[in-house]
Amino acid sequence: MAWFQKSIRLTSKPRGIHLVTSEIVRQLADLAGFRIGLAHIFIQHTSASLALNENADPTVRLDMEAHFNQMVPENMPYYIHTYEGADDMPAHIKAAMIGPSLTIPISNGRLNLGTWQGIYLCEHRDRAGGRRLVVTLHGEG
């Protein structure tokens, strides 16, 4: 069994939910060397998250963003952690709800995603920089 780990950076994105599957895979040339295994993708931030969902219809991402903004609104009077702006505490809550990582099977050198599945970067801040991911591959060549 082989192990491989790489830190990658996603380009800066505005607040919203973004399909980033291709951006991740482009930075993982070593993925092709795995016949079978698992890819673990972890985001090193507390105000953004990763999810797996619909890759074809962009309105899904718009609806998800709208729904999370309704579930976790800004400027709630009980928020104490407001030093970095009105979007900061809601960003932390959304990131905790959605989660920091994904585990995806690898088959024949590719992420074995379903036909309509894609990796989402859920950017919860109004103005964030590029996001760092740690990708760990484990399997056989």
Short mmCIF file of all heavy atoms in Angstrom, two decimals, residues 3-49:
data_model
loop_
_atom_site.label_atom_id
_atom_site.label_comp_id
_atom_site.label_asym_id
_atom_site.label_seq_id
_atom_site.Cartn_x
_atom_site.Cartn_y
_atom_site.Cartn_z
N TRP A 3 1.32 5.50 0.16
CA TRP A 3 0.78 6.73 0.70
C TRP A 3 1.37 7.90 -0.07
O TRP A 3 2.54 7.88 -0.43
CB TRP A 3 1.16 6.90 2.18
CG TRP A 3 0.44 6.00 3.11
CD1 TRP A 3 0.84 4.77 3.54
CD2 TRP A 3 -0.81 6.27 3.76
NE1 TRP A 3 -0.09 4.25 4.41
CE2 TRP A 3 -1.10 5.16 4.57
CE3 TRP A 3 -1.69 7.34 3.74
CZ2 TRP A 3 -2.25 5.09 5.34
CZ3 TRP A 3 -2.84 7.27 4.53
CH2 TRP A 3 -3.11 6.15 5.31
N PHE A 4 0.57 8.92 -0.29
CA PHE A 4 1.04 10.14 -0.92
C PHE A 4 0.26 11.29 -0.30
O PHE A 4 -0.95 11.18 -0.08
CB PHE A 4 0.77 10.10 -2.44
CG PHE A 4 1.05 11.40 -3.13
CD1 PHE A 4 2.34 11.76 -3.46
CD2 PHE A 4 0.01 12.27 -3.43
CE1 PHE A 4 2.60 12.97 -4.10
CE2 PHE A 4 0.25 13.48 -4.06
CZ PHE A 4 1.55 13.83 -4.40
N GLN A 5 0.96 12.38 0.00
CA GLN A 5 0.28 13.54 0.57
C GLN A 5 0.81 14.81 -0.07
O GLN A 5 2.02 14.95 -0.28
CB GLN A 5 0.46 13.61 2.08
CG GLN A 5 -0.41 14.66 2.74
CD GLN A 5 -0.35 14.55 4.24
OE1 GLN A 5 0.64 14.94 4.86
NE2 GLN A 5 -1.39 13.98 4.84
N LYS A 6 -0.12 15.73 -0.38
CA LYS A 6 0.27 16.97 -1.02
C LYS A 6 -0.63 18.10 -0.53
O LYS A 6 -1.85 17.91 -0.39
CB LYS A 6 0.12 16.83 -2.54
CG LYS A 6 0.53 18.06 -3.32
CD LYS A 6 0.43 17.82 -4.82
CE LYS A 6 0.93 19.05 -5.56
NZ LYS A 6 0.85 18.86 -7.01
N SER A 7 -0.04 19.25 -0.28
CA SER A 7 -0.81 20.46 0.00
C SER A 7 -1.04 21.18 -1.32
O SER A 7 -0.11 21.35 -2.11
CB SER A 7 -0.05 21.38 0.95
OG SER A 7 0.04 20.78 2.22
N ILE A 8 -2.28 21.57 -1.55
CA ILE A 8 -2.61 22.31 -2.77
C ILE A 8 -3.37 23.57 -2.39
O ILE A 8 -3.88 23.69 -1.28
CB ILE A 8 -3.41 21.46 -3.78
CG1 ILE A 8 -4.77 21.05 -3.22
CG2 ILE A 8 -2.62 20.22 -4.20
CD1 ILE A 8 -5.65 20.32 -4.23
N ARG A 9 -3.42 24.49 -3.31
CA ARG A 9 -4.11 25.76 -3.06
C ARG A 9 -5.17 25.98 -4.13
O ARG A 9 -4.91 25.84 -5.32
CB ARG A 9 -3.10 26.90 -3.07
CG ARG A 9 -3.67 28.22 -2.61
CD ARG A 9 -2.54 29.19 -2.30
NE ARG A 9 -3.02 30.39 -1.67
CZ ARG A 9 -3.23 30.52 -0.36
NH1 ARG A 9 -3.00 29.52 0.45
NH2 ARG A 9 -3.67 31.66 0.13
N LEU A 10 -6.37 26.31 -3.65
CA LEU A 10 -7.44 26.69 -4.56
C LEU A 10 -7.40 28.20 -4.76
O LEU A 10 -7.07 28.94 -3.84
CB LEU A 10 -8.81 26.29 -3.98
CG LEU A 10 -9.03 24.80 -3.72
CD1 LEU A 10 -10.39 24.58 -3.08
CD2 LEU A 10 -8.89 24.00 -5.00
N THR A 11 -7.72 28.64 -5.95
CA THR A 11 -7.73 30.07 -6.22
C THR A 11 -8.80 30.76 -5.37
O THR A 11 -9.78 30.14 -4.96
CB THR A 11 -8.01 30.35 -7.71
OG1 THR A 11 -9.27 29.77 -8.06
CG2 THR A 11 -6.90 29.77 -8.59
N SER A 12 -8.58 32.03 -5.11
CA SER A 12 -9.52 32.83 -4.34
C SER A 12 -10.87 32.86 -5.03
O SER A 12 -10.95 33.03 -6.25
CB SER A 12 -8.95 34.23 -4.18
OG SER A 12 -9.83 35.02 -3.43
N LYS A 13 -11.92 32.69 -4.24
CA LYS A 13 -13.26 32.68 -4.79
C LYS A 13 -14.16 33.59 -3.94
O LYS A 13 -13.94 33.73 -2.74
CB LYS A 13 -13.84 31.27 -4.76
CG LYS A 13 -12.91 30.26 -5.43
CD LYS A 13 -13.63 29.28 -6.25
CE LYS A 13 -12.78 28.26 -6.94
NZ LYS A 13 -11.38 28.49 -7.14
N PRO A 14 -15.18 34.17 -4.54
CA PRO A 14 -16.12 34.98 -3.75
C PRO A 14 -16.99 34.09 -2.88
O PRO A 14 -17.04 32.87 -3.05
CB PRO A 14 -16.95 35.70 -4.81
CG PRO A 14 -16.89 34.80 -6.00
CD PRO A 14 -15.53 34.14 -5.95
N ARG A 15 -17.69 34.70 -1.97
CA ARG A 15 -18.62 33.95 -1.13
C ARG A 15 -19.60 33.17 -2.01
O ARG A 15 -20.09 33.67 -3.02
CB ARG A 15 -19.39 34.92 -0.24
CG ARG A 15 -20.35 34.25 0.70
CD ARG A 15 -20.89 35.30 1.63
NE ARG A 15 -21.95 34.81 2.47
CZ ARG A 15 -22.43 35.48 3.49
NH1 ARG A 15 -21.96 36.68 3.78
NH2 ARG A 15 -23.39 34.98 4.22
N GLY A 16 -19.83 31.92 -1.64
CA GLY A 16 -20.73 31.07 -2.41
C GLY A 16 -20.22 29.65 -2.43
O GLY A 16 -19.24 29.30 -1.77
N ILE A 17 -20.89 28.84 -3.20
CA ILE A 17 -20.54 27.42 -3.32
C ILE A 17 -20.02 27.20 -4.72
O ILE A 17 -20.69 27.50 -5.71
CB ILE A 17 -21.75 26.54 -2.96
CG1 ILE A 17 -22.14 26.82 -1.50
CG2 ILE A 17 -21.44 25.07 -3.20
CD1 ILE A 17 -23.32 26.07 -0.98
N HIS A 18 -18.80 26.66 -4.81
CA HIS A 18 -18.07 26.58 -6.07
C HIS A 18 -17.68 25.14 -6.38
O HIS A 18 -17.17 24.44 -5.50
CB HIS A 18 -16.81 27.44 -6.01
CG HIS A 18 -17.11 28.84 -5.61
ND1 HIS A 18 -17.50 29.79 -6.52
CD2 HIS A 18 -17.10 29.45 -4.39
CE1 HIS A 18 -17.71 30.93 -5.88
NE2 HIS A 18 -17.48 30.75 -4.59
N LEU A 19 -17.87 24.72 -7.61
CA LEU A 19 -17.45 23.41 -8.08
C LEU A 19 -15.94 23.46 -8.35
O LEU A 19 -15.49 24.22 -9.19
CB LEU A 19 -18.22 23.05 -9.35
CG LEU A 19 -18.06 21.64 -9.88
CD1 LEU A 19 -18.54 20.61 -8.87
CD2 LEU A 19 -18.87 21.50 -11.17
N VAL A 20 -15.17 22.65 -7.61
CA VAL A 20 -13.70 22.72 -7.69
C VAL A 20 -13.06 21.38 -8.03
O VAL A 20 -11.84 21.23 -7.92
CB VAL A 20 -13.09 23.29 -6.39
CG1 VAL A 20 -13.51 24.74 -6.19
CG2 VAL A 20 -13.46 22.43 -5.17
N THR A 21 -13.82 20.41 -8.47
CA THR A 21 -13.28 19.08 -8.77
C THR A 21 -12.10 19.17 -9.73
O THR A 21 -11.02 18.63 -9.44
CB THR A 21 -14.37 18.16 -9.38
OG1 THR A 21 -15.55 18.22 -8.58
CG2 THR A 21 -13.87 16.73 -9.48
N SER A 22 -12.26 19.84 -10.84
CA SER A 22 -11.19 19.93 -11.84
C SER A 22 -9.97 20.65 -11.31
O SER A 22 -8.83 20.26 -11.59
CB SER A 22 -11.70 20.63 -13.10
OG SER A 22 -12.71 19.88 -13.70
N GLU A 23 -10.19 21.71 -10.54
CA GLU A 23 -9.07 22.46 -9.97
C GLU A 23 -8.23 21.59 -9.03
O GLU A 23 -7.01 21.70 -8.98
CB GLU A 23 -9.59 23.70 -9.24
CG GLU A 23 -8.51 24.64 -8.78
CD GLU A 23 -9.04 25.93 -8.16
OE1 GLU A 23 -10.27 26.16 -8.16
OE2 GLU A 23 -8.21 26.71 -7.66
N ILE A 24 -8.89 20.71 -8.30
CA ILE A 24 -8.17 19.79 -7.41
C ILE A 24 -7.43 18.73 -8.21
O ILE A 24 -6.24 18.50 -8.02
CB ILE A 24 -9.16 19.15 -6.39
CG1 ILE A 24 -9.67 20.21 -5.42
CG2 ILE A 24 -8.49 17.99 -5.65
CD1 ILE A 24 -10.81 19.74 -4.54
N VAL A 25 -8.14 18.07 -9.11
CA VAL A 25 -7.55 16.96 -9.87
C VAL A 25 -6.35 17.43 -10.70
O VAL A 25 -5.35 16.72 -10.81
CB VAL A 25 -8.62 16.28 -10.76
CG1 VAL A 25 -7.99 15.29 -11.73
CG2 VAL A 25 -9.65 15.57 -9.86
N ARG A 26 -6.42 18.64 -11.26
CA ARG A 26 -5.29 19.18 -12.04
C ARG A 26 -4.00 19.25 -11.22
O ARG A 26 -2.91 19.18 -11.76
CB ARG A 26 -5.62 20.59 -12.54
CG ARG A 26 -6.29 20.63 -13.88
CD ARG A 26 -6.27 22.02 -14.50
NE ARG A 26 -6.81 23.06 -13.64
CZ ARG A 26 -8.10 23.40 -13.57
NH1 ARG A 26 -8.98 22.76 -14.31
NH2 ARG A 26 -8.51 24.36 -12.78
N GLN A 27 -4.13 19.39 -9.91
CA GLN A 27 -2.95 19.51 -9.05
C GLN A 27 -2.50 18.17 -8.47
O GLN A 27 -1.62 18.12 -7.63
CB GLN A 27 -3.24 20.50 -7.91
CG GLN A 27 -3.53 21.90 -8.42
CD GLN A 27 -3.76 22.87 -7.29
OE1 GLN A 27 -2.88 23.11 -6.48
NE2 GLN A 27 -4.97 23.44 -7.23
N LEU A 28 -3.13 17.08 -8.90
CA LEU A 28 -2.84 15.74 -8.37
C LEU A 28 -2.37 14.78 -9.45
O LEU A 28 -3.01 13.76 -9.70
CB LEU A 28 -4.08 15.16 -7.67
CG LEU A 28 -4.54 15.86 -6.40
CD1 LEU A 28 -5.82 15.22 -5.89
CD2 LEU A 28 -3.45 15.81 -5.33
N ALA A 29 -1.24 15.07 -10.06
CA ALA A 29 -0.70 14.18 -11.10
C ALA A 29 -0.48 12.77 -10.55
O ALA A 29 -0.63 11.79 -11.29
CB ALA A 29 0.60 14.76 -11.65
N ASP A 30 -0.15 12.64 -9.28
CA ASP A 30 0.12 11.33 -8.68
C ASP A 30 -1.12 10.45 -8.56
O ASP A 30 -1.00 9.24 -8.37
CB ASP A 30 0.75 11.50 -7.30
CG ASP A 30 2.14 12.12 -7.40
OD1 ASP A 30 3.09 11.36 -7.63
OD2 ASP A 30 2.25 13.35 -7.28
N LEU A 31 -2.29 11.02 -8.69
CA LEU A 31 -3.53 10.25 -8.64
C LEU A 31 -3.53 9.14 -9.68
O LEU A 31 -4.00 8.02 -9.43
CB LEU A 31 -4.73 11.18 -8.84
CG LEU A 31 -6.12 10.58 -8.81
CD1 LEU A 31 -6.41 9.97 -7.44
CD2 LEU A 31 -7.15 11.66 -9.13
N ALA A 32 -2.97 9.39 -10.85
CA ALA A 32 -2.94 8.42 -11.95
C ALA A 32 -2.21 7.13 -11.59
O ALA A 32 -2.46 6.09 -12.18
CB ALA A 32 -2.30 9.05 -13.18
N GLY A 33 -1.34 7.17 -10.58
CA GLY A 33 -0.58 5.99 -10.18
C GLY A 33 -1.31 5.05 -9.25
O GLY A 33 -0.78 4.01 -8.86
N PHE A 34 -2.54 5.38 -8.87
CA PHE A 34 -3.31 4.54 -7.95
C PHE A 34 -4.39 3.78 -8.70
O PHE A 34 -5.28 4.38 -9.30
CB PHE A 34 -3.94 5.40 -6.85
CG PHE A 34 -2.96 5.91 -5.84
CD1 PHE A 34 -2.20 7.04 -6.09
CD2 PHE A 34 -2.77 5.23 -4.65
CE1 PHE A 34 -1.29 7.51 -5.17
CE2 PHE A 34 -1.85 5.69 -3.71
CZ PHE A 34 -1.10 6.83 -3.98
N ARG A 35 -4.32 2.44 -8.66
CA ARG A 35 -5.33 1.59 -9.29
C ARG A 35 -6.57 1.52 -8.43
O ARG A 35 -7.70 1.51 -8.91
CB ARG A 35 -4.75 0.19 -9.52
CG ARG A 35 -5.68 -0.76 -10.26
CD ARG A 35 -5.05 -2.13 -10.44
NE ARG A 35 -4.57 -2.71 -9.19
CZ ARG A 35 -5.35 -3.31 -8.28
NH1 ARG A 35 -6.64 -3.41 -8.48
NH2 ARG A 35 -4.83 -3.81 -7.17
N ILE A 36 -6.36 1.45 -7.10
CA ILE A 36 -7.45 1.36 -6.13
C ILE A 36 -7.00 2.06 -4.86
O ILE A 36 -5.83 2.00 -4.50
CB ILE A 36 -7.84 -0.11 -5.85
CG1 ILE A 36 -9.10 -0.18 -4.99
CG2 ILE A 36 -6.69 -0.89 -5.25
CD1 ILE A 36 -9.67 -1.58 -4.86
N GLY A 37 -7.93 2.75 -4.20
CA GLY A 37 -7.56 3.41 -2.97
C GLY A 37 -8.58 4.44 -2.54
O GLY A 37 -9.74 4.41 -2.96
N LEU A 38 -8.11 5.34 -1.67
CA LEU A 38 -8.95 6.40 -1.14
C LEU A 38 -8.22 7.72 -1.22
O LEU A 38 -7.00 7.78 -0.99
CB LEU A 38 -9.31 6.14 0.33
CG LEU A 38 -10.19 4.93 0.62
CD1 LEU A 38 -10.28 4.70 2.12
CD2 LEU A 38 -11.57 5.14 0.03
N ALA A 39 -8.96 8.76 -1.53
CA ALA A 39 -8.44 10.13 -1.48
C ALA A 39 -9.14 10.84 -0.33
O ALA A 39 -10.38 10.86 -0.26
CB ALA A 39 -8.72 10.86 -2.79
N HIS A 40 -8.35 11.38 0.57
CA HIS A 40 -8.90 12.18 1.67
C HIS A 40 -8.52 13.63 1.40
O HIS A 40 -7.34 13.94 1.20
CB HIS A 40 -8.34 11.71 3.01
CG HIS A 40 -8.95 12.44 4.16
ND1 HIS A 40 -8.32 13.52 4.75
CD2 HIS A 40 -10.12 12.28 4.79
CE1 HIS A 40 -9.10 13.97 5.72
NE2 HIS A 40 -10.19 13.25 5.76
N ILE A 41 -9.51 14.51 1.36
CA ILE A 41 -9.29 15.92 1.04
C ILE A 41 -9.75 16.73 2.24
O ILE A 41 -10.91 16.64 2.66
CB ILE A 41 -10.06 16.32 -0.23
CG1 ILE A 41 -9.71 15.38 -1.38
CG2 ILE A 41 -9.78 17.78 -0.60
CD1 ILE A 41 -10.63 15.49 -2.58
N PHE A 42 -8.83 17.52 2.80
CA PHE A 42 -9.05 18.26 4.05
C PHE A 42 -8.76 19.74 3.83
O PHE A 42 -7.70 20.09 3.30
CB PHE A 42 -8.14 17.70 5.14
CG PHE A 42 -8.20 18.44 6.44
CD1 PHE A 42 -9.24 18.25 7.32
CD2 PHE A 42 -7.19 19.34 6.78
CE1 PHE A 42 -9.29 18.94 8.53
CE2 PHE A 42 -7.23 20.04 7.98
CZ PHE A 42 -8.28 19.84 8.85
N ILE A 43 -9.67 20.61 4.22
CA ILE A 43 -9.46 22.05 4.10
C ILE A 43 -8.90 22.58 5.41
O ILE A 43 -9.40 22.26 6.48
CB ILE A 43 -10.75 22.79 3.67
CG1 ILE A 43 -10.45 24.24 3.29
CG2 ILE A 43 -11.83 22.69 4.72
CD1 ILE A 43 -11.56 24.90 2.50
N GLN A 44 -7.85 23.39 5.33
CA GLN A 44 -7.15 23.90 6.52
C GLN A 44 -7.68 25.27 6.94
O GLN A 44 -6.90 26.17 7.23
CB GLN A 44 -5.66 23.98 6.24
CG GLN A 44 -5.00 22.64 6.05
CD GLN A 44 -3.50 22.78 5.88
OE1 GLN A 44 -3.04 23.45 4.96
NE2 GLN A 44 -2.76 22.16 6.76
N HIS A 45 -8.98 25.41 6.98
CA HIS A 45 -9.58 26.70 7.34
C HIS A 45 -10.83 26.45 8.17
O HIS A 45 -11.45 25.40 8.10
CB HIS A 45 -9.95 27.49 6.08
CG HIS A 45 -8.77 27.78 5.22
ND1 HIS A 45 -7.95 28.87 5.42
CD2 HIS A 45 -8.25 27.11 4.17
CE1 HIS A 45 -6.98 28.86 4.53
NE2 HIS A 45 -7.14 27.79 3.75
N THR A 46 -11.23 27.47 8.95
CA THR A 46 -12.40 27.35 9.82
C THR A 46 -13.60 28.16 9.34
O THR A 46 -14.63 28.18 10.00
CB THR A 46 -12.06 27.80 11.26
OG1 THR A 46 -11.65 29.17 11.23
CG2 THR A 46 -10.95 26.92 11.85
N SER A 47 -13.46 28.80 8.18
CA SER A 47 -14.58 29.59 7.66
C SER A 47 -14.93 29.20 6.22
O SER A 47 -15.55 29.96 5.49
CB SER A 47 -14.27 31.09 7.75
OG SER A 47 -13.09 31.40 7.04
N ALA A 48 -14.51 28.01 5.83
CA ALA A 48 -14.88 27.42 4.54
C ALA A 48 -15.00 25.92 4.75
O ALA A 48 -14.48 25.38 5.74
CB ALA A 48 -13.82 27.73 3.48
N SER A 49 -15.69 25.25 3.85
CA SER A 49 -15.90 23.82 4.02
C SER A 49 -15.91 23.12 2.66
O SER A 49 -15.86 23.76 1.62
CB SER A 49 -17.22 23.57 4.77
OG SER A 49 -18.29 24.23 4.15
#
